[in-house]
Every structure is written in structure tokens, then in C-alpha cells.
Amino acid sequence: MVDGHGQFKLSRTAASDRVEVMVGSAGVINDRLQLSQGITRDISGGIGGQFTIIPTIDLSALIDPSATPEDKTRLTAEVREACTRVGFFVIKNHGIDWNIVEAAFDGIKEFFDLPMEKKMEVHQSKSDSYQGYEQPYYTNVDRLKKGDLKESYTTGYDPHTDPLGVGDAMPELLRRHNLWPNPKDAPIVKPALEAYRAACLDLMRKLIRIMAVAIGEKEDFFDKKITYPIAGIRALYYPPQENAGEEETGLGAHTDVQLMTMIAQKPYDIQALQVLNASGQWISPKLEPKTFVVNLSDMMGRLTNDTFLSTVDRVCNTDPRGRYSMPFFFGLNNDELTPTLPQFVTAENPLRECYDGGMTGYEHYNMRMQRAHHKHPSAVNKVELGLPKGMTKIDGVIVEGL
């Protein structure tokens, strides 16, 4: 639960006791924070989670052709520091034409302004892969009395519209077929979101090379793992909350699923996004115009044995203005096995038990979505979480026996 100062009230429980995560509450066992959806986090010390502000990183060295190797080295060090201490950072001078972002905001407003019956025509329950529309309170991440006060509209990557895509070589099982509204009802949203996706994907393909060096690998470490990447957009509208607390929130405490997320929001100065530090305080990033928030996600935590933090966050919009946001979710090919890299397993930081053996993004995504969307047909029918045998890959090559 959260007190009036924006802090979690953490109940410490003996290791032999069961922790119930109900009505937005949290519990601690052996210095690990327990949240809903099976999310746990260390709060026992170290630099991870020890922050009171969200840093801002200038990406000029990534974008400017005249940048020197020394410039990129400094940028890599800044990224590493932000990832190991916070797991969130704000980026500026990122090279994305903000006209593309504004057009996308126009597109999602066009969609959310449609009559409810039109939005329900593309409802998520009609998609096997959780694409489409969610009405207010459709999810209840914190298990509050009402739930998450938001509308969302999710669309996924299409290998045929990506200039670097592989087209039909992407396995059909991994495709996330989009549910677009009738263009007569909403002509702007599809082209605007596809242009936004292309711009974000282009930047992420550059940033992931910096990230590769930051984790101690060669710059091209991820290249064969992102030939048909996760590149999803979840457009969101958060109306002002009148019953924050036990009744409802914008989006309950959670972590993201993939490698990294990049978020644009409008208005830029609403401080509704809140990031949880190791002291149980919620910290909001302070954004300048034309900036994005970047955060690490679960598969990066798995890859680095939680050295690079997939940090818990939530949305609570108590501002009198409505908030639009467009998270762009970037991840490896969904059939790519993600084991923990050996340089992150030490005597001081032993392998997390839950990371033993590796996992594909496909399995982790399905597991998390079924927990968060318990009304979805895949959750009700307990659809198989993992890939069929013979589909799992490492660096794009099928692994025998998996």
C-alpha cells in the first residue's frame, strides 16, 4: 500500500509465511519486495535502486556523425550508470522528428474519441496476441476495488512494413496481427502509428548497440537476435483520477516485459509516471519538451542477472488534465532464448533461481499477459505459454532439443 508521502508501506513477513499481494499491498520476504504478477525485487542494498531523481542523457554522440569514439565511450558510461542504478532515464537530442510524434498523438486521440461501440469492434479479446483496445478497468494490476483507469490500444510489429524486415521468413506463430479501426471512422491512426513505430525502431536499433557495449559485449552482440524484433506500441489515455488509492489507479505497479521501453507523453509536464526506488519511494521523471523516457524491461534483467534493472513503475494521474502516452516496446526476436550472461554471475551475485535455463520472450510475454489479463480468452482457456519444440533459437539459429 502507499502512504500519503508516496511511499510503499512494506510489511515484513517471515520466510515461512505466505505473502498475499491483495488490494494494492506489498510484502517483503528476505529483503525481496513481492508485488502482483509474480514480480519480486531486491531492496537489501547495493547501488541498484538507490536513486532520488531520474537522470537525463543526451544522445548526440549516438546521432551526430561527427561524434568521436571518446564521445561514444562517455555516452556508454552514462547509460551503464543509469541502467545499474535506476533502470530509467530521459533522452534528449535523440534525432526523432517531433512532427512524427505529434502526428501519432493526433492519431491516438482520433481513436480514443471514437464511440465506445466502434472501439469495441477491435477489442483485445478478439486477438490471440493481446492486440487491440482495452476499455477502462479492463485490467486491475494492483487488485484494487475498481482497477486501472485507462484506455489502451495496442499494435504490433509487421515484418512487411519494416525496411529491414524479413517478410515471410518471420515465423507465423510469432506474428501479432493488428486490429485496425475502419479507416472511414479513423483515417489517421494507422499511418501515424506506423510512422511512429518506424522512427522509434530506427532509434532503438542504434541504442541497443550502445547497450551491448555497456553490458560488456561487442557492439553487434544483438544484431542476429533482432531480425524480427518486438516493436509494439501501446497507446494510452489516462483521464484524471478522482478516487486514487484503494479504489483505482491509472496503471498498477509493474515491470515491462521486453528489453527496453521508450515513452512519449502529452502533455509533457504531467508527472503521472512514478518509478519505485529501493527505499519504497515513488519518483517521477521531470521531462522537457520533445524528450522520451526510456526504461529497461524484464528480459534485460534476465540477461544481466538483474544488474541492469527492470524497475517497478506505475501511473497515477492526479493532474486535472488527461494524459496521453505512447510506450514503444522493443525486444529480441520472440523465439530467441535469453540466458543470463556469465559475466553477471559471481559469488557476490549468484544466478537468480528463476533465471536458470533461460527463457524466450514468447514464453515470458504470454505468462505476464495471462496474469494481467485474466479475462482474456487465452487466460481463461489456459493457452500453452511456450514455443513448440524445434522453434527456439540462439543468435537466430535453432537449438536442437528445445
Side-chain angles (χ1 to χ4, degrees), residues 311-336:
T311 304
V312 174
D313 64 281
R314 68 177 185 182
V315 178
C316 184
N317 184 26
T318 57
D319 194 285
R321 299 168 292 175
R323 175 181 181 262
Y324 293 90
S325 74
M326 294 186 295
F328 172 81
F329 302 106
F330 179 72
L332 306 181
N333 300 349
N334 236 6
D335 54 5
E336 184 74 22

PDB file of all heavy atoms in Angstrom, residues 311-336:
ATOM      1  N   THR A 311      12.980  -1.909 -13.519  1.00  0.00           N
ATOM      2  CA  THR A 311      12.485  -1.239 -12.320  1.00  0.00           C
ATOM      3  C   THR A 311      10.963  -1.151 -12.305  1.00  0.00           C
ATOM      4  O   THR A 311      10.332  -0.923 -13.338  1.00  0.00           O
ATOM      5  CB  THR A 311      13.092   0.173 -12.238  1.00  0.00           C
ATOM      6  OG1 THR A 311      14.515   0.065 -12.280  1.00  0.00           O
ATOM      7  CG2 THR A 311      12.700   0.870 -10.951  1.00  0.00           C
ATOM      8  N   VAL A 312      10.391  -1.317 -11.132  1.00  0.00           N
ATOM      9  CA  VAL A 312       8.938  -1.236 -10.960  1.00  0.00           C
ATOM     10  C   VAL A 312       8.472   0.208 -11.163  1.00  0.00           C
ATOM     11  O   VAL A 312       9.084   1.156 -10.665  1.00  0.00           O
ATOM     12  CB  VAL A 312       8.542  -1.727  -9.550  1.00  0.00           C
ATOM     13  CG1 VAL A 312       7.042  -1.501  -9.294  1.00  0.00           C
ATOM     14  CG2 VAL A 312       8.890  -3.206  -9.386  1.00  0.00           C
ATOM     15  N   ASP A 313       7.380   0.351 -11.902  1.00  0.00           N
ATOM     16  CA  ASP A 313       6.782   1.673 -12.071  1.00  0.00           C
ATOM     17  C   ASP A 313       5.267   1.548 -12.096  1.00  0.00           C
ATOM     18  O   ASP A 313       4.716   0.448 -12.145  1.00  0.00           O
ATOM     19  CB  ASP A 313       7.298   2.352 -13.348  1.00  0.00           C
ATOM     20  CG  ASP A 313       6.895   1.611 -14.609  1.00  0.00           C
ATOM     21  OD1 ASP A 313       7.535   0.595 -14.944  1.00  0.00           O
ATOM     22  OD2 ASP A 313       5.941   2.040 -15.281  1.00  0.00           O
ATOM     23  N   ARG A 314       4.594   2.673 -12.055  1.00  0.00           N
ATOM     24  CA  ARG A 314       3.141   2.723 -12.117  1.00  0.00           C
ATOM     25  C   ARG A 314       2.734   4.076 -12.698  1.00  0.00           C
ATOM     26  O   ARG A 314       3.585   4.967 -12.893  1.00  0.00           O
ATOM     27  CB  ARG A 314       2.529   2.557 -10.725  1.00  0.00           C
ATOM     28  CG  ARG A 314       2.794   3.730  -9.796  1.00  0.00           C
ATOM     29  CD  ARG A 314       2.124   3.591  -8.445  1.00  0.00           C
ATOM     30  NE  ARG A 314       2.324   4.801  -7.644  1.00  0.00           N
ATOM     31  CZ  ARG A 314       1.889   4.969  -6.403  1.00  0.00           C
ATOM     32  NH1 ARG A 314       1.237   3.981  -5.806  1.00  0.00           N
ATOM     33  NH2 ARG A 314       2.106   6.100  -5.751  1.00  0.00           N
ATOM     34  N   VAL A 315       1.440   4.247 -12.970  1.00  0.00           N
ATOM     35  CA  VAL A 315       0.908   5.524 -13.436  1.00  0.00           C
ATOM     36  C   VAL A 315      -0.253   5.914 -12.535  1.00  0.00           C
ATOM     37  O   VAL A 315      -1.162   5.119 -12.293  1.00  0.00           O
ATOM     38  CB  VAL A 315       0.434   5.447 -14.898  1.00  0.00           C
ATOM     39  CG1 VAL A 315      -0.163   6.788 -15.334  1.00  0.00           C
ATOM     40  CG2 VAL A 315       1.593   5.060 -15.817  1.00  0.00           C
ATOM     41  N   CYS A 316      -0.194   7.139 -12.038  1.00  0.00           N
ATOM     42  CA  CYS A 316      -1.250   7.670 -11.168  1.00  0.00           C
ATOM     43  C   CYS A 316      -1.479   9.128 -11.577  1.00  0.00           C
ATOM     44  O   CYS A 316      -0.694  10.005 -11.203  1.00  0.00           O
ATOM     45  CB  CYS A 316      -0.834   7.561  -9.702  1.00  0.00           C
ATOM     46  SG  CYS A 316      -2.089   8.074  -8.522  1.00  0.00           S
ATOM     47  N   ASN A 317      -2.508   9.378 -12.360  1.00  0.00           N
ATOM     48  CA  ASN A 317      -2.716  10.718 -12.905  1.00  0.00           C
ATOM     49  C   ASN A 317      -3.688  11.526 -12.048  1.00  0.00           C
ATOM     50  O   ASN A 317      -4.896  11.486 -12.238  1.00  0.00           O
ATOM     51  CB  ASN A 317      -3.239  10.640 -14.342  1.00  0.00           C
ATOM     52  CG  ASN A 317      -3.355  12.033 -14.961  1.00  0.00           C
ATOM     53  OD1 ASN A 317      -2.642  12.954 -14.556  1.00  0.00           O
ATOM     54  ND2 ASN A 317      -4.241  12.180 -15.929  1.00  0.00           N
ATOM     55  N   THR A 318      -3.136  12.276 -11.120  1.00  0.00           N
ATOM     56  CA  THR A 318      -3.936  13.175 -10.290  1.00  0.00           C
ATOM     57  C   THR A 318      -3.957  14.593 -10.840  1.00  0.00           C
ATOM     58  O   THR A 318      -4.542  15.492 -10.224  1.00  0.00           O
ATOM     59  CB  THR A 318      -3.404  13.187  -8.847  1.00  0.00           C
ATOM     60  OG1 THR A 318      -2.019  13.578  -8.856  1.00  0.00           O
ATOM     61  CG2 THR A 318      -3.529  11.809  -8.216  1.00  0.00           C
ATOM     62  N   ASP A 319      -3.344  14.797 -11.993  1.00  0.00           N
ATOM     63  CA  ASP A 319      -3.387  16.094 -12.664  1.00  0.00           C
ATOM     64  C   ASP A 319      -4.800  16.324 -13.222  1.00  0.00           C
ATOM     65  O   ASP A 319      -5.456  15.379 -13.641  1.00  0.00           O
ATOM     66  CB  ASP A 319      -2.359  16.103 -13.804  1.00  0.00           C
ATOM     67  CG  ASP A 319      -2.077  17.490 -14.347  1.00  0.00           C
ATOM     68  OD1 ASP A 319      -2.938  18.020 -15.086  1.00  0.00           O
ATOM     69  OD2 ASP A 319      -1.006  18.050 -14.049  1.00  0.00           O
ATOM     70  N   PRO A 320      -5.289  17.559 -13.236  1.00  0.00           N
ATOM     71  CA  PRO A 320      -6.634  17.801 -13.794  1.00  0.00           C
ATOM     72  C   PRO A 320      -6.712  17.583 -15.302  1.00  0.00           C
ATOM     73  O   PRO A 320      -7.816  17.515 -15.856  1.00  0.00           O
ATOM     74  CB  PRO A 320      -6.914  19.265 -13.427  1.00  0.00           C
ATOM     75  CG  PRO A 320      -5.574  19.876 -13.195  1.00  0.00           C
ATOM     76  CD  PRO A 320      -4.722  18.789 -12.634  1.00  0.00           C
ATOM     77  N   ARG A 321      -5.570  17.437 -15.961  1.00  0.00           N
ATOM     78  CA  ARG A 321      -5.546  17.193 -17.402  1.00  0.00           C
ATOM     79  C   ARG A 321      -5.452  15.698 -17.683  1.00  0.00           C
ATOM     80  O   ARG A 321      -4.825  14.946 -16.951  1.00  0.00           O
ATOM     81  CB  ARG A 321      -4.358  17.897 -18.049  1.00  0.00           C
ATOM     82  CG  ARG A 321      -4.348  19.408 -17.903  1.00  0.00           C
ATOM     83  CD  ARG A 321      -3.013  19.999 -18.297  1.00  0.00           C
ATOM     84  NE  ARG A 321      -1.960  19.617 -17.353  1.00  0.00           N
ATOM     85  CZ  ARG A 321      -0.674  19.919 -17.507  1.00  0.00           C
ATOM     86  NH1 ARG A 321      -0.270  20.591 -18.586  1.00  0.00           N
ATOM     87  NH2 ARG A 321       0.204  19.555 -16.602  1.00  0.00           N
ATOM     88  N   GLY A 322      -6.045  15.270 -18.780  1.00  0.00           N
ATOM     89  CA  GLY A 322      -5.859  13.901 -19.227  1.00  0.00           C
ATOM     90  C   GLY A 322      -4.466  13.716 -19.786  1.00  0.00           C
ATOM     91  O   GLY A 322      -3.851  14.658 -20.299  1.00  0.00           O
ATOM     92  N   ARG A 323      -3.928  12.501 -19.673  1.00  0.00           N
ATOM     93  CA  ARG A 323      -2.573  12.207 -20.134  1.00  0.00           C
ATOM     94  C   ARG A 323      -2.618  11.156 -21.251  1.00  0.00           C
ATOM     95  O   ARG A 323      -3.182  10.076 -21.090  1.00  0.00           O
ATOM     96  CB  ARG A 323      -1.717  11.670 -18.992  1.00  0.00           C
ATOM     97  CG  ARG A 323      -0.308  11.217 -19.380  1.00  0.00           C
ATOM     98  CD  ARG A 323       0.431  10.680 -18.158  1.00  0.00           C
ATOM     99  NE  ARG A 323       1.803  10.258 -18.444  1.00  0.00           N
ATOM    100  CZ  ARG A 323       2.171   8.993 -18.673  1.00  0.00           C
ATOM    101  NH1 ARG A 323       1.259   8.010 -18.666  1.00  0.00           N
ATOM    102  NH2 ARG A 323       3.437   8.693 -18.896  1.00  0.00           N
ATOM    103  N   TYR A 324      -1.998  11.488 -22.396  1.00  0.00           N
ATOM    104  CA  TYR A 324      -1.805  10.528 -23.475  1.00  0.00           C
ATOM    105  C   TYR A 324      -0.350  10.055 -23.421  1.00  0.00           C
ATOM    106  O   TYR A 324       0.565  10.854 -23.202  1.00  0.00           O
ATOM    107  CB  TYR A 324      -2.070  11.162 -24.837  1.00  0.00           C
ATOM    108  CG  TYR A 324      -3.511  11.542 -25.074  1.00  0.00           C
ATOM    109  CD1 TYR A 324      -3.991  12.808 -24.720  1.00  0.00           C
ATOM    110  CD2 TYR A 324      -4.404  10.640 -25.648  1.00  0.00           C
ATOM    111  CE1 TYR A 324      -5.307  13.166 -24.928  1.00  0.00           C
ATOM    112  CE2 TYR A 324      -5.738  10.987 -25.866  1.00  0.00           C
ATOM    113  CZ  TYR A 324      -6.181  12.247 -25.505  1.00  0.00           C
ATOM    114  OH  TYR A 324      -7.488  12.594 -25.711  1.00  0.00           O
ATOM    115  N   SER A 325      -0.138   8.772 -23.618  1.00  0.00           N
ATOM    116  CA  SER A 325       1.236   8.282 -23.699  1.00  0.00           C
ATOM    117  C   SER A 325       1.334   7.194 -24.751  1.00  0.00           C
ATOM    118  O   SER A 325       0.337   6.520 -25.077  1.00  0.00           O
ATOM    119  CB  SER A 325       1.740   7.768 -22.340  1.00  0.00           C
ATOM    120  OG  SER A 325       1.158   6.528 -22.021  1.00  0.00           O
ATOM    121  N   MET A 326       2.540   7.023 -25.292  1.00  0.00           N
ATOM    122  CA  MET A 326       2.782   6.030 -26.344  1.00  0.00           C
ATOM    123  C   MET A 326       4.049   5.251 -26.034  1.00  0.00           C
ATOM    124  O   MET A 326       5.111   5.525 -26.591  1.00  0.00           O
ATOM    125  CB  MET A 326       2.883   6.713 -27.712  1.00  0.00           C
ATOM    126  CG  MET A 326       1.597   7.344 -28.186  1.00  0.00           C
ATOM    127  SD  MET A 326       1.670   7.985 -29.873  1.00  0.00           S
ATOM    128  CE  MET A 326       2.895   9.300 -29.699  1.00  0.00           C
ATOM    129  N   PRO A 327       3.975   4.265 -25.150  1.00  0.00           N
ATOM    130  CA  PRO A 327       5.128   3.396 -24.945  1.00  0.00           C
ATOM    131  C   PRO A 327       5.420   2.567 -26.194  1.00  0.00           C
ATOM    132  O   PRO A 327       4.513   1.983 -26.794  1.00  0.00           O
ATOM    133  CB  PRO A 327       4.697   2.498 -23.778  1.00  0.00           C
ATOM    134  CG  PRO A 327       3.546   3.203 -23.138  1.00  0.00           C
ATOM    135  CD  PRO A 327       2.875   3.963 -24.232  1.00  0.00           C
ATOM    136  N   PHE A 328       6.685   2.534 -26.561  1.00  0.00           N
ATOM    137  CA  PHE A 328       7.187   1.683 -27.648  1.00  0.00           C
ATOM    138  C   PHE A 328       8.019   0.585 -27.004  1.00  0.00           C
ATOM    139  O   PHE A 328       9.024   0.865 -26.347  1.00  0.00           O
ATOM    140  CB  PHE A 328       8.024   2.506 -28.622  1.00  0.00           C
ATOM    141  CG  PHE A 328       8.733   1.676 -29.667  1.00  0.00           C
ATOM    142  CD1 PHE A 328       8.058   1.236 -30.799  1.00  0.00           C
ATOM    143  CD2 PHE A 328      10.070   1.334 -29.514  1.00  0.00           C
ATOM    144  CE1 PHE A 328       8.712   0.460 -31.751  1.00  0.00           C
ATOM    145  CE2 PHE A 328      10.728   0.559 -30.460  1.00  0.00           C
ATOM    146  CZ  PHE A 328      10.043   0.126 -31.582  1.00  0.00           C
ATOM    147  N   PHE A 329       7.582  -0.662 -27.171  1.00  0.00           N
ATOM    148  CA  PHE A 329       8.239  -1.796 -26.517  1.00  0.00           C
ATOM    149  C   PHE A 329       9.182  -2.468 -27.502  1.00  0.00           C
ATOM    150  O   PHE A 329       8.759  -2.939 -28.564  1.00  0.00           O
ATOM    151  CB  PHE A 329       7.201  -2.807 -26.027  1.00  0.00           C
ATOM    152  CG  PHE A 329       6.202  -2.225 -25.072  1.00  0.00           C
ATOM    153  CD1 PHE A 329       4.893  -1.970 -25.484  1.00  0.00           C
ATOM    154  CD2 PHE A 329       6.551  -1.907 -23.771  1.00  0.00           C
ATOM    155  CE1 PHE A 329       3.968  -1.431 -24.617  1.00  0.00           C
ATOM    156  CE2 PHE A 329       5.632  -1.357 -22.892  1.00  0.00           C
ATOM    157  CZ  PHE A 329       4.337  -1.123 -23.322  1.00  0.00           C
ATOM    158  N   PHE A 330      10.463  -2.545 -27.135  1.00  0.00           N
ATOM    159  CA  PHE A 330      11.483  -3.113 -28.016  1.00  0.00           C
ATOM    160  C   PHE A 330      12.066  -4.375 -27.386  1.00  0.00           C
ATOM    161  O   PHE A 330      12.461  -4.364 -26.203  1.00  0.00           O
ATOM    162  CB  PHE A 330      12.602  -2.096 -28.242  1.00  0.00           C
ATOM    163  CG  PHE A 330      13.716  -2.595 -29.116  1.00  0.00           C
ATOM    164  CD1 PHE A 330      13.533  -2.753 -30.482  1.00  0.00           C
ATOM    165  CD2 PHE A 330      14.956  -2.912 -28.575  1.00  0.00           C
ATOM    166  CE1 PHE A 330      14.564  -3.214 -31.292  1.00  0.00           C
ATOM    167  CE2 PHE A 330      15.987  -3.373 -29.369  1.00  0.00           C
ATOM    168  CZ  PHE A 330      15.792  -3.521 -30.736  1.00  0.00           C
ATOM    169  N   GLY A 331      12.097  -5.441 -28.166  1.00  0.00           N
ATOM    170  CA  GLY A 331      12.629  -6.685 -27.633  1.00  0.00           C
ATOM    171  C   GLY A 331      13.258  -7.557 -28.708  1.00  0.00           C
ATOM    172  O   GLY A 331      13.152  -7.293 -29.906  1.00  0.00           O
ATOM    173  N   LEU A 332      13.914  -8.608 -28.261  1.00  0.00           N
ATOM    174  CA  LEU A 332      14.530  -9.570 -29.166  1.00  0.00           C
ATOM    175  C   LEU A 332      13.460 -10.304 -29.962  1.00  0.00           C
ATOM    176  O   LEU A 332      12.275 -10.277 -29.633  1.00  0.00           O
ATOM    177  CB  LEU A 332      15.350 -10.588 -28.375  1.00  0.00           C
ATOM    178  CG  LEU A 332      16.412 -10.052 -27.411  1.00  0.00           C
ATOM    179  CD1 LEU A 332      17.129 -11.222 -26.737  1.00  0.00           C
ATOM    180  CD2 LEU A 332      17.407  -9.149 -28.113  1.00  0.00           C
ATOM    181  N   ASN A 333      13.916 -11.003 -31.023  1.00  0.00           N
ATOM    182  CA  ASN A 333      13.022 -11.938 -31.687  1.00  0.00           C
ATOM    183  C   ASN A 333      12.355 -12.801 -30.618  1.00  0.00           C
ATOM    184  O   ASN A 333      13.014 -13.269 -29.681  1.00  0.00           O
ATOM    185  CB  ASN A 333      13.795 -12.840 -32.640  1.00  0.00           C
ATOM    186  CG  ASN A 333      14.514 -12.080 -33.737  1.00  0.00           C
ATOM    187  OD1 ASN A 333      14.301 -10.880 -33.934  1.00  0.00           O
ATOM    188  ND2 ASN A 333      15.369 -12.775 -34.476  1.00  0.00           N
ATOM    189  N   ASN A 334      11.063 -13.044 -30.751  1.00  0.00           N
ATOM    190  CA  ASN A 334      10.332 -13.713 -29.687  1.00  0.00           C
ATOM    191  C   ASN A 334      10.683 -15.197 -29.542  1.00  0.00           C
ATOM    192  O   ASN A 334      10.291 -15.823 -28.560  1.00  0.00           O
ATOM    193  CB  ASN A 334       8.821 -13.557 -29.923  1.00  0.00           C
ATOM    194  CG  ASN A 334       8.126 -12.922 -28.750  1.00  0.00           C
ATOM    195  OD1 ASN A 334       8.764 -12.495 -27.788  1.00  0.00           O
ATOM    196  ND2 ASN A 334       6.805 -12.854 -28.797  1.00  0.00           N
ATOM    197  N   ASP A 335      11.410 -15.746 -30.495  1.00  0.00           N
ATOM    198  CA  ASP A 335      11.853 -17.146 -30.384  1.00  0.00           C
ATOM    199  C   ASP A 335      13.305 -17.254 -29.934  1.00  0.00           C
ATOM    200  O   ASP A 335      13.882 -18.338 -29.903  1.00  0.00           O
ATOM    201  CB  ASP A 335      11.667 -17.890 -31.711  1.00  0.00           C
ATOM    202  CG  ASP A 335      12.329 -17.199 -32.905  1.00  0.00           C
ATOM    203  OD1 ASP A 335      13.025 -16.180 -32.695  1.00  0.00           O
ATOM    204  OD2 ASP A 335      12.132 -17.663 -34.044  1.00  0.00           O
ATOM    205  N   GLU A 336      13.909 -16.138 -29.568  1.00  0.00           N
ATOM    206  CA  GLU A 336      15.306 -16.099 -29.136  1.00  0.00           C
ATOM    207  C   GLU A 336      15.411 -16.443 -27.646  1.00  0.00           C
ATOM    208  O   GLU A 336      14.796 -15.799 -26.798  1.00  0.00           O
ATOM    209  CB  GLU A 336      15.895 -14.711 -29.386  1.00  0.00           C
ATOM    210  CG  GLU A 336      17.369 -14.567 -29.069  1.00  0.00           C
ATOM    211  CD  GLU A 336      18.291 -15.227 -30.077  1.00  0.00           C
ATOM    212  OE1 GLU A 336      17.856 -15.453 -31.237  1.00  0.00           O
ATOM    213  OE2 GLU A 336      19.454 -15.513 -29.709  1.00  0.00           O
TER     214      GLU A 336
END
